[in-house]
Structure formats: C-alpha cells, structure tokens
Amino acid sequence: MSGVFITLEGGEGVGKSTQLTVVREHLMQSGRDVLVTREPGGTPFAEAIRDLLLAPREEAVSGQAELLLMFAARAAHLEQRIRPALARGQWVVCDRFTDATYAYQGGGRGLPQEEIAVLERLVQGDFRPHATILLDAPVEIGLARMQERGAPDRFEREQAAFFERVRGVYLARAAAEPERFIVIDASRPVEEVSAAVRGALDALLERHA
C-alpha cells in the first residue's frame, strides 16, 4: 500500500467534525489526494449498520451485538473503500476506527479487550493506521458541548461514567503507542486546536514525503 491512513479519534463533543474538515483541507492544500470517510459507515452496507447501531430503541442491545456489528461494518469498509484507496496512493482520513471500538465497546460497555483483539486480527490482520490524532477533553466539557447539538443518538444518551471509561481507554492506548498517537488538547479554543492539528499533519507530511 502506497497511501497513508490517518484516523481521528475522541469522545463526544471534542470537535472531531470541525477538525476533520481542517485535516482534509490541509492535506489537499499540501497536494495530497484525500479520501475522507467514517466509522461505522463508509459504504452503503456499512452505513446501514451505522443506522442500526445509532438509532435510539427500546430494545436492549448487548455490547457483544454492538461489537460484532462494528466489525461487520469495518470488514466491508476496509475491503471496499479503505484498502483500494490506499492502493491508489490516496491519503485516507477516517473519523474513528478500531481504537473507538476498544474505547466504546471495551471501555464503555466493559467487554474484554482480548475479545476485541480477536476480531481485530480476524478482520484487519496486521493492518493499522499510520497515525491516529486523538482529540482529548475532560468529559464534562465534551458533554456540555454535546448538549448544544440536536437529538442524541443511542451512544450519546449514555451517562458520564460511560464516557469517563471511554476516555480512559483512549488515553491508555495513546500512552501504549506513542509512535502512532498524537494527543491534542481539545478543551482549548477551536483555533488553537486547529493549529495543533495542522502542526501534527505537517510532521506526517514530512515523514511520508
């Protein structure tokens, strides 16, 4: 694969949508051919799974069912969109990827990390992002920002303790893989966060020149 795979991660209300635009524009201005996608989603099949996962419902959905659906969507996404784009030499930027599964289904839902790792190996083999930008902010700040948005989805309806566990796993994974993760303080004003994101991208552009 000749392309570069970048993932953007973080809990609720950290500003991923805003910074995703910053990433795309900065890479395009640098002359890179960029594909922006998201998880769960990215293909019609995977987007249908996304709708299943996010829609609020009265029926209880087990963490294991969530986990299997996440990887079903990821398998389609990788095969149909991500791998072909990388093979074409594109820079692929994905709004969340497998780190989110460890954070949300592992941390938030309490599923064993070992079970997630088994599915990760099955679906991805040794495929991992070249770099992961983690937008991090205290949970109370993220939840306050989230309240300014529209109707919450099924995950956004969770309690603060759920998101504390999500954040804890994200930070633990970043500490364990400092060569891949770039942690950015997303509690700062958006202009400062965007500047930090651009700086991280410049380093990546130099590394993959």
Side-chain angles (χ1 to χ4, degrees):
M1 292 185 182
S2 56
V4 176
F5 184 40
I6 301 172
T7 56
L8 196 63
E9 296 280 0
E12 307 304 322
V14 296
K16 281 192 301 86
S17 297
T18 298
Q19 298 310 322
L20 197 66
T21 300
V22 171
V23 172
R24 181 183 66 241
E25 292 179 351
H26 194 72
L27 290 176
M28 291 178 66
Q29 289 169 4
S30 301
R32 301 306 189 271
D33 185 5
V34 182
L35 170 67
V36 175
T37 188
R38 69 178 181 177
E39 287 217 345
T43 75
F45 176 77
E47 289 289 336
I49 294 177
R50 180 187 181 88
D51 291 341
L52 282 174
L53 285 164
L54 299 190
R57 61 186 72 247
E58 293 185 6
E59 176 188 4
V61 180
S62 72
Q64 191 174 60
E66 272 185 13
L67 177 64
L68 293 170
L69 284 171
M70 287 288 184
F71 273 103
R74 183 162 298 133
H77 193 199
L78 278 166
E79 179 182 358
Q80 298 177 36
R81 198 155 195 219
I82 294 176
R83 289 184 184 274
L86 292 171
R88 292 191 298 268
Q90 289 183 285
W91 284 55
V92 178
V93 181
C94 192
D95 181 353
R96 293 203 172 115
F97 193 61
T98 308
D99 292 301
T101 305
Y102 280 98
Y104 278 78
Q105 281 69 52
R109 301 293 187 217
L111 294 180
Q113 303 280 314
E114 296 79 9
E115 291 184 5
I116 301 173
V118 168
L119 291 172
E120 182 181 28
R121 288 192 296 272
L122 175 67
V123 171
Q124 299 171 219
D126 59 359
F127 179 84
R128 300 292 184 274
H130 292 92
T132 297
I133 298 173
L134 174 60
L135 300 174
D136 176 63
V139 168
E140 60 270 20
I141 292 177
L143 293 183
R145 291 173 177 170
M146 190 174 68
Q147 291 174 359
E148 300 172 1
R149 306 198 302 231
D153 63 34
R154 196 169 62 82
F155 287 93
E156 292 170 344
R157 294 185 176 194
E158 293 292 340
Q159 300 299 309
F162 175 92
F163 296 113
E164 291 286 1
R165 294 193 297 273
V166 167
R167 186 188 184 205
V169 170
Y170 268 135
L171 291 175
R173 290 181 67 77
E177 296 185 64
E179 71 286 349
R180 174 166 71 88
F181 275 87
I182 304 155
V183 182
I184 293 176
D185 180 0
S187 67
R188 296 175 292 174
V190 65
E191 296 82 4
E192 294 182 21
V193 178
S194 297
V197 167
R198 292 188 189 97
L201 292 173
D202 287 339
L204 286 172
L205 286 163
E206 184 175 351
R207 188 187 314 167
H208 296 281

